[in-house]
């Protein structure tokens, strides 16, 4: 935005005064504000020709403070608005959503929607964005925000915006989180000692289960079943793989974050146990965790994408 004073701050402009809650007067052109808001259009029907040398402008007292009205008028005059600034607060975006609703200003709502989805803002305030999206019926925003909340600790703090939504709406978020964690853990589970098809198809499977063939190979192994041409066959896999999957599942019950699959502590634990036991096996087995963990991360991502948040607008 330029350093020049916006036109609505100059008393020589406009044919209407909008007076903010602090008593600040903005000099506005009726046709511009009426064009933006059907509520104002109804309020200001006919331009009144005023006789005499000093025409007076009608005054509309509004309940919003000046920083909200300057954002609205910036949008009105310049098609830009200060609230796209990522440092904007949740309270400001909420006030704009409220003004957008009250004065039926689609342009304001749409800019506020973009502010909610602005990546730094969303990353910083995912719970507030979820609450505001539910309160103002922005379904796509609510879904994006819910996805973003998965990497938070399981018990969220009370944040601005929660006062706008019902307990039920908040429960939908918890249910979504639980469903995502459980879908991911199901995909990682070796239930009934069985390897899952996606693991076999992960491209690095041959290396994961590589064995030097030595009968006295000291690498700890677990016996698991793998489906070969439709028939279950028992084979041996590094015990470290079973532990990797179990520990990852435990972590996912805290934060539902796909990148946990490639977290250094899990990878190092696997590599450590593979390299110390048998140097001959280590060559292939230790490195196999890198592509396998990447395949695992993709799998978790896919599980989460398959879960749908139940959206229920709160107002
Ligand atoms: Zn070996």
């Amino acid at each position: 935005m330029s350093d020049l004073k916006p036109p609505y701050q100059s008393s020589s402009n406009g044919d209407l005064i909008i007076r903010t809650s602090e008593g600040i007067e903005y000099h506005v052109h009726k046709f511009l504000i009426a064009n933006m808001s059907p509520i104002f259009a109804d309020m200001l029907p006919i331009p009144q020709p005023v006789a005499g040398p000093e025409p007076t402008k009608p005054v509309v007292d509004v309940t919003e403070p000046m920083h909200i009205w300057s954002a609205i008028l910036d949008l009105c005059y310049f098609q830009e608005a200060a609230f796209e600034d990522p440092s904007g607060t949740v309270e400001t975006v909420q006030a704009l959503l409220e003004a957008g609703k009250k004065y039926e200003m689609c342009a304001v709502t749409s800019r506020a929607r973009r502010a909610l989805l602005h990546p730094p803002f969303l990353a910083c305030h995912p719970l507030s964005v979820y609450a505001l999206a539910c309160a103002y019926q922005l379904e796509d925003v609510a879904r994006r925000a819910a996805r973003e909340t998965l990497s938070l600790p399981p018990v969220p703090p009370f944040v601005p915006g929660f006062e706008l939504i019902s307990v039920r709406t908040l429960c939908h978020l918890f249910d979504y989180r639980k469903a995502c964690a459980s879908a991911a853990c199901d995909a990682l589970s070796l239930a009934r000692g069985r390897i899952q098809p996606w693991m076999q198809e992960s491209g690095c499977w041959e290396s994961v289960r590589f064995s030097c063939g030595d009968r006295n190979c000291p690498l700890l192994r677990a016996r698991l079943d793998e489906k070969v041409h439709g028939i279950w066959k028992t084979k041996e896999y590094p015990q470290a793989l079973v532990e990797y999957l179990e520990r990852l599942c435990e972590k996912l019950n805290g934060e539902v974050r796909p990148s946990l699959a490639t977290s250094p502590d899990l990878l190092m634990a696997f590599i450590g146990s593979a390299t110390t036991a048998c140097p001959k096996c280590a060559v292939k087995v230790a490195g196999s965790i890198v592509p396998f963990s990447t395949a695992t991360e993709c799998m978790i991502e896919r599980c989460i994408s398959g879960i749908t948040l139940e959206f229920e607008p709160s107002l």
Side-chain angles (χ1 to χ4, degrees):
M1 195 168 300
S2 75
D3 295 331
L4 290 172
K5 198 158 82 162
Y8 53 83
Q9 283 185 15
S10 165
S11 61
S12 59
N13 279 330
D15 49 10
L16 169 75
I17 291 173
I18 288 180
R19 192 156 56 199
T20 68
S21 59
E22 305 95 333
I24 301 294
E25 296 187 342
Y26 287 145
H27 303 269
V28 179
H29 293 88
K30 283 181 190 171
F31 77 96
L32 279 176
I33 192 74
N35 187 39
M36 202 179 194
S37 158
I39 300 292
F40 271 90
D42 290 347
M43 208 192 303
L44 312 161
I46 310 153
Q48 297 152 12
V50 183
E54 287 181 24
T56 54
K57 298 176 197 172
V59 177
V60 176
D61 281 298
V62 292
T63 53
E64 297 80 18
M66 60 184 286
H67 74 280
I68 297 303
W69 268 97
S70 62
I72 293 172
L73 293 173
D74 282 346
L75 197 52
C76 199
Y77 279 85
F78 312 114
Q79 264 88 61
E80 60 180 278
F83 58 86
E84 279 188 286
D85 174 2
S87 65
T89 65
V90 171
E91 287 79 3
T92 304
V93 181
Q94 186 199 334
L96 284 158
L97 284 166
E98 188 57 36
K101 186 177 156 191
K102 175 173 161 191
Y103 301 112
E104 297 175 16
M105 296 185 287
C106 310
V108 171
T109 305
S110 137
R111 284 300 170 104
R113 184 182 166 283
R114 276 169 53 186
L116 292 173
L117 289 174
H118 192 55
F121 189 87
L122 181 59
C124 229
H125 313 287
L127 291 165
S128 292
V129 173
Y130 172 77
L132 291 184
C134 290
Y136 292 93
Q137 302 172 31
L138 304 169
E139 181 168 348
D140 60 326
V141 179
R143 295 192 188 289
R144 282 281 304 281
R147 174 70 182 75
E148 198 75 20
T149 65
L150 293 177
S151 53
L152 298 176
V155 181
F158 190 90
V159 296
F162 273 8
E163 72 283 0
L164 300 171
I165 60 172
S166 66
V167 171
R168 238 172 99 102
T169 302
L170 198 54
C171 285
H172 289 322
L173 190 62
F174 295 146
D175 291 345
Y176 169 74
R177 184 192 187 89
K178 260 188 264 168
C180 289
S182 132
C185 287
D186 283 352
L188 301 183
S189 116
L190 299 171
R192 290 188 288 160
R194 287 178 172 182
I195 292 292
Q196 304 226 20
W198 72 267
M199 296 174 183
Q200 287 172 252
E201 292 153 11
S202 63
C204 46
W205 198 239
E206 290 304 316
S207 306
V208 172
R209 61 173 189 192
F210 173 82
S211 168
C212 61
D214 187 336
R215 270 182 26 177
N216 299 319
C217 174
L219 185 70
L220 273 180
R221 292 180 196 268
R223 292 174 67 80
L224 295 166
D225 294 339
E226 177 177 322
K227 212 169 198 176
V228 184
H229 302 303
I231 298 156
W232 289 102
K233 289 195 173 163
T234 302
K235 300 202 172 180
E236 292 199 323
Y237 303 86
Q239 176 63 29
L241 182 74
V242 178
E243 281 158 20
Y244 165 81
L245 292 167
E246 282 172 359
R247 289 183 57 197
L248 177 55
C249 197
E250 266 168 45
K251 280 177 181 263
L252 287 168
N253 279 309
E255 294 168 32
V256 198
R257 195 152 46 85
S259 62
L260 287 172
T262 51
S263 58
D265 61 326
L266 287 184
L267 300 194
M268 289 320 289
F270 182 95
I271 292 169
S273 71
T275 45
T276 49
C278 170
K280 278 189 274 177
C281 287
V283 179
K284 283 224 164 190
V285 176
S288 69
I289 193 64
V290 176
F292 183 72
S293 63
T294 306
T296 307
E297 182 172 341
C298 291
M299 189 60 205
I300 298 169
E301 189 69 61
R302 215 155 64 200
C303 291
I304 293 174
S305 307
I307 304 296
T308 307
L309 167 83
E310 190 173 336
F311 176 74
E312 187 181 6
S314 247
L315 289 182

